[in-house]
Amino acid sequence: MESQQIEKINGSCLCGTVTFEVENHFKLFHLCHCHQCQKISGSAHVSNLFVNKEAINWLSGEEKIQRFDVPGRQISNVFCTQCGSSVPYVSGSGRALIVPAGTLDGEPNIGPQNHIYMEDSRDWHENIASVDCFERYTD
């Protein structure tokens, strides 16, 4: 019987201290607009992928990971202590590995499936698709 090789995708924090590989077999991809995710990201929403919690292999820097659990919620902020960028973590319920999409070095097997907690969405984000786009930063 042939064993099927599961495709993996690499990722890292901003400074490259924390590196990992994860199975590219994501089940969910949410864009979460809740107030806590806005605070964690400093943006309108986070872009989180969900996969089995056993799907990750830490390659380096696991000892540089810090976790903050929001009191009274199942929301966490998990980040590299060197650069502060988000890194994957096991959800508060313990049922899934949450992978911030921006930490991946390649394309995940699925794209965003939905926006959640739209009741908390910022007004300025409403017409984001209609603003000018540029290839690089411009003054």
Side-chain angles (χ1 to χ4, degrees):
M1 183 173 186
E2 272 185 51
S3 66
Q4 187 173 357
Q5 186 78 342
I6 296 176
E7 180 187 349
K8 298 194 178 196
I9 187 169
N10 287 347
S12 68
C13 65
L14 179 62
C15 71
T17 297
V18 178
T19 61
F20 60 91
E21 66 178 7
V22 63
E23 294 175 7
N24 195 4
H25 188 67
F26 297 101
K27 296 176 170 50
L28 298 170
F29 192 162
H30 298 304
L31 304 177
C32 183
H33 293 260
C34 79
H35 291 305
Q36 289 79 19
C37 285
Q38 291 172 23
K39 295 287 186 186
I40 287 169
S41 69
S43 188
H45 61 78
V46 297
S47 304
N48 285 332
L49 293 146
F50 293 71
V51 69
N52 292 331
K53 64 182 179 181
E54 299 84 14
I56 195 164
N57 179 33
W58 296 102
L59 302 175
S60 68
E62 190 174 4
E63 72 283 356
K64 295 289 186 180
I65 295 172
Q66 178 71 42
R67 181 182 183 115
F68 171 75
D69 294 315
V70 177
R73 302 283 311 269
Q74 286 194 3
I75 295 172
S76 301
N77 187 18
V78 182
F79 53 93
C80 168
T81 59
Q82 291 292 117
C83 65
S85 63
S86 296
V87 296
Y89 62 96
V90 174
S91 65
S93 69
R95 293 184 291 217
L97 180 73
I98 299 174
V99 180
T103 64
L104 297 175
D105 296 332
E107 294 296 319
N109 65 305
I110 59 174
Q113 297 164 312
N114 54 42
H115 292 267
I116 59 175
Y117 288 94
M118 289 303 293
E119 66 188 13
D120 292 343
S121 181
R122 300 294 182 162
D123 290 343
W124 55 263
H125 187 263
E126 189 172 311
N127 297 315
I128 197 105
S130 66
V131 299
D132 291 337
C133 296
F134 301 95
E135 292 297 316
R136 303 207 184 282
Y137 178 76
T138 182
D139 286 328

